[in-house]
Amino acid sequence: MTMSVPERKSGSEGKEEESEDESEILEESPCGRWQKRKEQVSQGNVPGVESASLAMDTEEGVEVVWNEVLFSDKKVFKAQEEKIKEMFENLMQVEHPNIVKFHKYWLDMKESQARVIFITEYMSSGSLKQFLKKTKKNHKTMNVKAWKRWCTQILSALSYLHSCDPPIIHGNLTCDTIFIQHNGLIKIGSVWHRLFVNVFPDVSIHGKGRQLRDEQRNLHFFAPEYEAGEDDYAIDIFSFGICALEMAVLEIQANGDTAVSKEAIVNAGQSLEDPLMREFTQSCLRHEAKLRPTAHDLLFHRVLFEVHSLKLLAAHCLINNQYLLPENCVEEKTKSFDPNAVMAEIKHEDRQGVQLKYSHVSPLELDKFLEDVKNGIYPLMNFASSRPHPVPRALSLSQEQVETVKTPTPEPQETETRKVIQMHCNLESNEEGTKTHLSLFLKMDDKLHRQLSCDILPTDTSKDLASELVHYAFINEEDSEKVAGFLEDAISRHRVRALASGSTQ
């Protein structure tokens, strides 16, 4: 979803008003975790969202966005209720470091109207458009390294969406729907723009969707075939090309309040000094959709492509297998190293070699680098996706198609959206060896812990156990294979020890 930074009043008067009025708690979620505040968030990029307010996540202690979709006609809401539930359940399954996170939703039925309330991540540092305006105002130019890093992150998100099965088309990518965190992390919002328009049938909601497309200052972001209703990755590539061009030149000049002209776009492209950057943006803006490259292809373009360092590859390997390692293992390991010890050496026959010592690596810099990798600032993009990302088919259906889909269950089941980042387990068998007691400790990506225990029989397999954990919403479905492998290894080692212990008695 697309959340912009709210305008705050300056000076002591503004601070007092904020503390007294804007921080006032107006409403709580049914579970009590989310608390809606009075402070509004400026938003206009999600069709149908009547209001967006800042809210507090009382478990994490961070600000989030409280969004509301209002239905004045309860009959219309009832007719669409199952599709709405299905859509929001699916929204919570999308997981990518460069996509604004969707946290939770619930329905609120009243006599006069119905509401859908959903909680999304709050992007506190503002949109790309705001950043570019500030940069230009300060008479600065865009850093080429930052431009490449941001393009890579945006393409990483688009490549993820387009490689889903079925593909997800963003359909609303502009500099207003791309956000920058304080640490340089880029995230795209309004990912479900087209889905919202398809699912919410209210006329006023569709009107807002059209109003957004007709907004003069953003018309140049939409591909020529957009109005024809084409749902193809090429429309996102065209929009990305405009975003990449604006990032490079800071602003494509428009004539007053009118739309940015084709001539202005061509002139902006020709003003790029780097021929590779010029070729890169022009390839995205080709008039014929079929001639535009894919997001994955663009990641291999000469202007972005680079051979990943061993440091980055090792960092990704460490992050991906973090659940196998004890907490603070990097910190503990670096403490045990002799700072004067040589960790690598490059030898030359004709000149003196180069030695790299542990003292050359700062533990603080290493920690920050690992944190940046974990947050998605340095994605590994020079590898093809091993398999399409499975996403429920309802996410890409048109409104007509959605109406023919039958929901298998009347009520969507609660699912675990958090990921497991660390696991430990303990196994103890009874004297007869007929059953084993399993204690499983899970650390989730929100730093909260989950401890589970059960008795397992010799006939139970690790896949069965992992499937049960998914079924009862103890783990995310995407973690099933990882947890099953971990349990398989732990159970095998336990059985080997049990056999060895039995043979010595």
Side-chain angles (χ1 to χ4, degrees), residues 38-306:
K38 195 172 184 179
E39 187 173 357
Q40 291 286 302
V41 177
S42 175
Q43 171 177 327
N45 291 307
V46 180
V49 177
E50 297 293 332
S51 66
S53 307
L54 276 184
M56 180 60 69
D57 179 350
T58 57
E59 285 189 13
E60 289 296 303
V62 297
E63 289 180 317
V64 291
V65 179
W66 176 298
N67 307 270
E68 295 184 10
V69 181
L70 302 180
F71 288 82
S72 54
D73 189 338
K74 291 182 71 174
K75 290 183 180 179
V76 171
F77 176 79
K78 277 293 183 184
Q80 303 293 327
E81 186 174 358
E82 291 306 318
K83 285 186 285 186
I84 291 169
K85 287 179 180 178
E86 184 179 23
M87 181 194 75
F88 280 106
E89 285 295 322
N90 292 336
L91 276 171
M92 293 195 294
Q93 295 181 32
V94 173
E95 188 77 39
H96 191 278
N98 300 114
I99 296 176
V100 172
K101 176 70 178 169
F102 187 101
H103 290 295
K104 193 71 176 174
Y105 84 98
W106 64 93
L107 310 181
D108 180 42
M109 299 286 290
K110 294 183 178 179
E111 290 185 8
S112 58
Q113 63 182 14
R115 288 189 304 169
V116 180
I117 301 165
F118 59 99
I119 305 295
T120 52
E121 185 178 4
Y122 176 48
M123 305 304 292
S124 59
S125 297
S127 68
L128 178 61
K129 173 68 78 177
Q130 292 169 324
F131 178 86
L132 296 178
K133 279 186 176 181
K134 290 177 185 176
T135 304
K136 185 177 181 181
K137 186 177 180 181
N138 294 330
H139 306 288
K140 294 182 179 179
T141 57
M142 173 59 67
N143 180 280
V144 176
K145 284 186 177 181
W147 180 86
K148 291 181 178 181
R149 191 164 60 245
W150 291 353
C151 282
T152 299
Q153 292 181 52
I154 297 169
L155 287 171
S156 170
L158 289 180
S159 181
Y160 169 87
L161 294 172
H162 295 169
S163 66
C164 287
D165 185 20
I168 300 171
I169 308 304
H170 187 291
N172 188 29
L173 191 68
T174 72
C175 289
D176 286 312
T177 62
I178 300 173
F179 299 89
I180 306 174
Q181 293 285 62
H182 65 279
N183 59 357
L185 180 67
I186 286 282
K187 292 204 176 196
I188 62 175
S190 192
V191 168
W192 305 101
H193 170 82
R194 284 196 170 230
L195 189 64
F196 266 63
V197 172
N198 284 339
V199 171
F200 295 130
D202 189 82
V203 175
S204 64
I205 288 173
H206 278 266
K208 289 191 177 184
R210 286 194 294 272
Q211 181 182 356
L212 171 68
R213 293 196 295 272
D214 294 337
E215 196 174 351
Q216 292 293 311
R217 69 189 183 94
N218 280 338
L219 270 179
H220 62 295
F221 284 97
F222 299 108
E225 70 274 16
Y226 188 92
E227 289 300 327
E230 293 290 332
D231 263 337
D232 185 73
Y233 74 86
I235 65 171
D236 286 345
I237 299 303
F238 185 93
S239 300
F240 165 76
I242 297 293
C243 292
L245 187 56
E246 287 213 349
M247 284 193 294
V249 300
L250 299 182
E251 182 182 21
I252 301 175
Q253 292 291 341
N255 297 322
D257 294 328
T258 60
V260 173
S261 65
K262 292 181 180 178
E263 183 183 0
I265 294 172
V266 171
N267 291 338
Q270 293 298 330
S271 70
L272 297 176
E273 296 179 3
D274 187 335
L276 288 178
M277 289 176 67
R278 196 160 55 242
E279 178 195 337
F280 178 81
T281 54
Q282 287 174 351
S283 69
C284 299
L285 303 178
R286 289 172 181 147
H287 189 271
E288 287 191 56
K290 63 182 180 181
L291 297 179
R292 294 175 208 145
T294 65
H296 186 262
D297 290 339
L298 287 169
L299 287 162
F300 284 85
H301 192 281
R302 288 177 295 170
V303 77
L304 295 182
F305 180 82
E306 61 181 28

Side-chain angles (χ1 to χ4, degrees), residues 321-340:
N321 295 282
Q322 195 173 10
Y323 65 95
L324 293 172
L325 303 170
E327 198 169 359
N328 301 324
C329 67
V330 176
E331 181 183 351
E332 295 299 322
K333 196 68 176 175
T334 52
K335 283 181 181 178
S336 65
F337 288 142
D338 177 4
N340 295 318

Side-chain angles (χ1 to χ4, degrees), residues 285-397:
L285 303 178
R286 289 172 181 147
H287 189 271
E288 287 191 56
K290 63 182 180 181
L291 297 179
R292 294 175 208 145
T294 65
H296 186 262
D297 290 339
L298 287 169
L299 287 162
F300 284 85
H301 192 281
R302 288 177 295 170
V303 77
L304 295 182
F305 180 82
E306 61 181 28
V307 178
H308 292 313
S309 67
L310 285 175
K311 178 182 177 182
L312 183 59
L313 292 171
H316 273 276
C317 184
L318 183 67
I319 296 300
N320 292 337
N321 295 282
Q322 195 173 10
Y323 65 95
L324 293 172
L325 303 170
E327 198 169 359
N328 301 324
C329 67
V330 176
E331 181 183 351
E332 295 299 322
K333 196 68 176 175
T334 52
K335 283 181 181 178
S336 65
F337 288 142
D338 177 4
N340 295 318
V342 176
M343 62 178 176
E345 186 175 5
I346 304 172
K347 294 183 178 180
H348 300 288
E349 293 182 359
D350 56 342
R351 63 185 185 277
Q352 186 177 358
V354 179
Q355 289 186 339
L356 299 175
K357 298 183 179 180
Y358 287 107
S359 58
H360 296 162
V361 180
S362 167
L364 291 177
E365 289 180 8
L366 188 61
D367 282 342
K368 183 183 183 303
F369 180 70
L370 285 171
E371 191 67 25
D372 287 345
V373 170
K374 185 178 180 181
N375 288 335
I377 296 177
Y378 301 107
L380 284 183
M381 295 315 303
N382 298 348
F383 302 95
S385 178
S386 58
R387 60 183 175 85
H389 304 284
V391 173
R393 180 159 294 276
L395 290 178
S396 65
L397 294 179

